[in-house]
Amino acid sequence: MLRWIIFITIFLVADFYAFQAFKTVTKNNILQILYWVITLFVLGNFVFHFYGFNRSDGFSHAHGYAVGFLIATMVPFIFLVGMMFMEDVFRVPHAIYRYFTVGDAAKGDFFTSRRQFISKLALGIAAIPLASIIYGIYKGRYNYKVLKYTMYFEDLPEAFHGYKLTQISDIHSGSFDDMEKVKYAVDLINEQASDVILFTGDIVNNKAEELVPYKPVFGKLKAKDGLYSVLGNHDYGDYVKWDSDAAKKQNLEELKAIQKDIGFNMLLNETKFLEKNGERIALVGVENWGSGGFKQAGDLKKASEHVKADDFKILMSHDPTHWEKKVIQDDYHYHLTLSGHTHGMQFGIEIPGWFRWSPAKWRYKYWAGIYEEMGQYINVNRGFGYLAFPGRVGIWPEITVIELKKGAAPA
């Protein structure tokens, strides 16, 4: 209860402070009342959905929108409060000076009026993240991007020169609310005409039933050499309250069965060899392994027990911290690891080839795109779906296409 009182108090104080900019720009009482109606609705809606909320009870679309509306309100607040504070850095010392120099002549009005220019500038700057978040909720979460890479390996089997794979990750089917957009994305995946499609975990938020409505949609995925998948941390059902351990286990078995019906070959700490013209590459799939409190069911040694040291290896592992903590230092050389999990925090700024930033970098060393360590590579997919916040801002849903080439990369 105390934390809710503190949260609401801080929110309203910050909002009242930010309101000063709005009040400076317009004296229209209707607009000022509308400001507070919207603010109190957003706050009330959030409190209504999250007071007494237990994550194990499940996270609905209504919860997601409550989070989205709150973020859409709070981020502009931060910019407004920042700008107003910068102005008060000068106003407060000036007011103190007037208090001691003018005294009673000021009749208690020691503060100079807020500058309308500063208020307009603050509102203008705050409008940028507001518009971005609204766009992210309305359109960004389905703004699928196909990212294409060509990767060169000296020891790639000759038969696999030009081999194409498509990676998707973090579908989170329980979050979707637009079937047609998902159908469009599946068509986009098929258009890439890759040799194989690889899914790196988190096909649901919590329960197998979330995937059922989308089973016919994902069932249209096609690739010459098949579809393969691994489990992510959300697939185990660890974040909901089950009536029994048996119910939780049954949920996981149902999830595996649905994936099989879709056409996915699940790799549960095991290897599948892709063969072509008498040569092969090892497709190694581990269960989820993550640092920082996440499930560590992945067993790299078990998964690779039939793999030779000189095999070309592609590893599917949901959480990139597995690559960081275990894979890079392993006795075997895993040429390419495919991961997801981070979502790129669903928020950030990316200018391809120039600049990339997201709060995800504060949590994950490898959070989006391709990285290289000790001659081994990882691609961290930004995710196909979304979770909690019902949108994406700057970090768009991703379909990765990687073409393998034999030889050295061009200079």
Side-chain angles (χ1 to χ4, degrees):
M1 183 63 179
L2 178 60
R3 63 180 180 177
W4 277 103
I5 294 174
I6 294 173
F7 167 72
I8 293 171
T9 301
I10 292 175
F11 184 93
L12 291 176
V13 169
D15 194 13
F16 181 78
Y17 191 55
F19 176 69
Q20 305 310 305
F22 189 79
K23 187 171 66 173
T24 301
V25 171
T26 178
K27 303 301 181 184
N28 188 305
N29 290 332
I30 294 177
L31 291 179
Q32 292 184 10
I33 291 172
L34 183 62
Y35 176 99
W36 283 107
V37 167
I38 293 173
T39 295
L40 294 176
F41 168 78
V42 169
L43 179 61
N45 185 53
F46 183 81
V47 173
F48 173 78
H49 283 98
F50 284 93
Y51 183 76
F53 173 74
N54 188 327
R55 184 178 179 181
S56 66
D57 293 329
F59 193 89
S60 67
H61 287 132
H63 286 103
Y65 281 109
V67 171
F69 293 151
L70 186 75
I71 291 175
T73 303
M74 290 190 69
V75 174
F77 277 2
I78 293 171
F79 284 89
L80 277 173
V81 168
M83 293 291 292
M84 303 299 287
F85 179 77
M86 288 174 62
E87 183 182 16
D88 283 343
V89 166
F90 298 98
R91 289 179 73 234
V92 171
H94 187 252
I96 295 173
Y97 172 78
R98 281 169 56 80
Y99 174 81
F100 287 107
T101 57
V102 179
D104 292 341
K107 297 180 179 179
D109 187 13
F110 302 107
F111 282 91
T112 56
S113 299
R114 291 194 178 277
R115 299 175 185 176
Q116 196 173 72
F117 168 74
I118 297 295
S119 295
K120 288 181 177 179
L121 179 62
L123 288 169
I125 292 175
I128 296 174
L130 175 61
S132 298
I133 293 170
I134 291 174
Y135 175 85
I137 295 173
Y138 174 69
K139 190 173 181 179
R141 56 188 167 148
Y142 295 118
N143 187 22
Y144 297 100
K145 300 296 181 183
V146 178
L147 302 186
K148 297 184 177 183
Y149 303 99
T150 301
M151 302 187 69
Y152 293 82
F153 300 92
E154 297 277 9
D155 55 349
L156 179 73
E158 185 69 42
F160 287 89
H161 179 75
Y163 194 82
K164 284 205 311 182
L165 60 90
T166 289
Q167 180 200 2
I168 53 176
S169 191
D170 299 88
I171 288 174
H172 288 286
S173 53
S175 296
F176 292 140
D177 59 5
D178 192 326
M179 183 74 74
E180 293 305 312
K181 294 293 177 61
V182 180
K183 289 179 179 178
Y184 162 77
V186 168
D187 289 341
L188 193 58
I189 293 170
N190 286 333
E191 285 175 14
Q192 307 313 310
S194 289
D195 296 286
V196 66
I197 294 175
L198 308 177
F199 173 67
T200 48
D202 276 4
I203 203 165
V204 295
N205 292 342
N206 295 299
K207 297 181 178 181
E209 64 189 36
E210 300 167 18
L211 186 56
V212 173
Y214 295 93
K215 180 179 171 180
V217 180
F218 290 110
K220 295 183 181 299
L221 289 171
K222 302 295 179 186
K224 179 172 63 68
D225 291 340
L227 287 61
Y228 295 88
S229 68
V230 294
L231 293 172
N233 56 297
H234 280 265
D235 296 324
Y236 296 91
D238 287 342
Y239 306 127
V240 293
K241 184 166 54 181
W242 299 95
D243 293 334
S244 64
D245 290 340
K248 180 180 178 181
K249 182 178 179 180
Q250 178 63 27
N251 176 75
L252 181 57
E253 293 306 313
E254 289 176 4
L255 182 67
K256 293 176 182 178
I258 296 173
Q259 289 206 45
K260 183 178 180 180
D261 289 343
I262 288 172
F264 282 111
N265 299 285
M266 296 200 71
L267 300 179
L268 304 172
N269 294 326
E270 57 192 307
T271 293
K272 167 69 177 180
F273 291 101
L274 302 176
E275 299 182 356
K276 189 174 182 181
N277 299 337
E279 296 183 297
R280 72 180 191 177
I281 60 177
L283 182 60
V284 184
V286 296
E287 294 195 46
N288 190 80
W289 193 103
S291 64
F294 289 103
K295 181 182 286 291
Q296 296 185 349
D299 189 333
L300 190 58
K301 295 298 183 186
K302 179 182 177 183
S304 302
E305 60 184 356
H306 299 299
V307 178
K308 297 179 181 179
D310 59 352
D311 278 325
F312 187 91
K313 308 170 195 69
I314 296 176
L315 173 65
M316 299 169 64
S317 181
H318 177 70
D319 193 318
T321 60
H322 186 217
W323 189 70
E324 176 187 357
K325 304 293 185 182
K326 296 290 184 178
V327 178
I328 298 173
Q329 295 85 9
D330 193 84
D331 293 337
Y332 271 7
H333 180 92
Y334 291 87
H335 299 74
L336 173 62
T337 296
L338 303 176
S339 296
H341 183 63
T342 72
H343 298 208
M345 206 71 83
Q346 296 171 211
F347 178 85
I349 301 171
E350 288 197 82
I351 304 174
W354 289 89
F355 180 77
R356 182 174 63 187
W357 177 88
S358 165
K361 68 179 298 181
W362 298 332
R363 172 66 176 84
Y364 297 98
K365 183 177 181 179
Y366 309 103
W367 60 273
I370 292 179
Y371 302 86
E372 185 268 334
E373 295 284 352
M374 299 173 61
Q376 301 171 85
Y377 294 86
I378 185 173
N379 179 64
V380 184
N381 185 285
R382 294 160 181 80
F384 183 92
Y386 53 91
L387 180 68
F389 172 60
R392 283 179 173 268
V393 180
I395 304 294
W396 312 121
E398 175 181 343
I399 298 164
T400 310
V401 178
I402 297 176
E403 184 175 7
L404 304 178
K405 292 288 186 75
K406 183 176 179 61

